[in-house]
C-alpha cells in the first residue's frame, strides 16, 4: 500500500530513504490528523474550515515534496481539505458501509476518507501549500525523475545510481 526508494549517497556513503502512500493504520492516522486540524495545529483557517464544513475530509495520504529552489525534500500528508460534491450521493455511499480496511484490524467504526473516496465523492475546498523548511519556498509534489534523484539530506550529495532500491511497505 506504500512505496518508496532507498539510496546511498555518492559523497558521504550515508543510506537514506523515503516512503509514501498509506499503510495498514491509515484509518487511525486519518482520525488523528483530523483531530490535529480541528485543534489548530495547521492554523486557524484550517481549523475553522474543518469545524464549519459539513462532511469535511482531508487528504491524509503521504506524498513526496521537493523544493525547486534549494533541492530540499520531505514526505508529508497532502493536507488539502475537501467537501462533498453531492451530499445525497455521499450519504448513499456511506449507508452501504465500509469494508474492513486491513485483515486483522477492525476499523469499521473509524471515521476516515480514502484517497479513492476523495476522487469519487469530494471536491477541493482548500489546497494546502507545502513550504520548504530550509528556504521557505513553495514545494511541489515530486515527479518520478525527482523521486529517483533525491539529494542526501546530510551532505547534499547525489545518490549512487547502482544503489537505488525500491521499497514496498505494509
Amino acid at each position: 500500500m506504500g512505496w518508496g526508494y532507498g539510496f546511498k549517497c555518492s559523497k558521504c556513503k550515508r543510506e537514506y530513504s523515503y516512503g509514501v502512500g498509506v499503510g495498514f493504520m491509515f484509518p487511525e492516522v486519518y482520525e488523528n490528523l483530523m483531530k490535529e486540524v480541528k485543534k489548530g495545529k495547521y492554523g486557524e483557517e484550517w481549523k475553522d474550515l474543518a469545524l464549519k464544513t459539513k462532511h469535511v475530509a482531508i487528504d491524509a495520504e503521504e506524498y513526496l515534496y521537493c523544493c525547486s529552489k534549494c533541492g530540499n525534500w520531505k514526505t508529508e500528508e497532502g493536507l488539502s481539505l475537501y467537501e462533498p460534491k453531492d451530499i445525497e450521493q455521499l450519504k448513499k455511499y456511506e449507508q452501504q458501509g465500509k469494508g474492513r480496511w486491513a485483515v486483522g484490524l477492525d476499523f469499521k467504526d473509524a471515521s476516515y476518507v480514502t484517497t479513492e473516496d476523495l476522487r469519487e465523492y469530494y471536491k477541493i475546498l482548500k489546497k494546502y501549500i507545502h513550504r520548504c523548511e530550509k528556504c521557505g519556498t513553495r514545494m511541489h509534489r515530486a515527479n518520478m525523475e525527482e523521486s529517483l534523484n533525491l539529494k542526501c539530506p546530510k551532505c547534499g550529495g547525489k545518490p549512487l545510481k547502482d544503489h537505488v532500491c525500491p521499497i514496498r511497505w505494509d
Side-chain angles (χ1 to χ4, degrees), residues 130-147:
H130 297 267
R131 296 270 173 207
C132 177
E133 291 138 8
K134 288 187 177 180
C135 71
T137 301
R138 181 179 181 163
M139 297 180 93
H140 65 274
R141 202 177 296 175
N143 63 35
M144 186 53 77
E145 183 179 335
E146 290 169 319
S147 70

Side-chain angles (χ1 to χ4, degrees), residues 4 20 128:
V20 295
Y128 187 84

Side-chain angles (χ1 to χ4, degrees), residues 10-11 28 57 66 114 121 125 127 160-161:
S10 59
K11 282 174 65 177
E28 186 175 314
C66 291
T114 66
Y121 300 102
L125 175 63
K127 185 168 177 62
L160 286 170
K161 291 297 176 195

Side-chain angles (χ1 to χ4, degrees), residues 31-44 46-53 55-58 81 111:
E31 280 188 334
N32 290 336
L33 184 59
M34 189 58 84
K35 285 177 188 172
E36 289 174 346
V37 168
K38 289 178 179 180
K39 286 182 180 177
K41 180 177 177 180
Y42 295 93
E44 286 302 311
W46 251 237
K47 178 181 176 180
D48 288 345
L49 286 169
L51 292 172
K52 293 177 182 174
T53 307
H55 303 285
V56 69
I58 191 164
L81 294 177
S111 176

Side-chain angles (χ1 to χ4, degrees), residues 97-111:
K98 293 186 186 287
R100 288 173 60 115
W101 174 257
V103 175
L105 298 173
D106 183 12
F107 289 113
K108 82 175 180 189
D109 294 327
S111 176

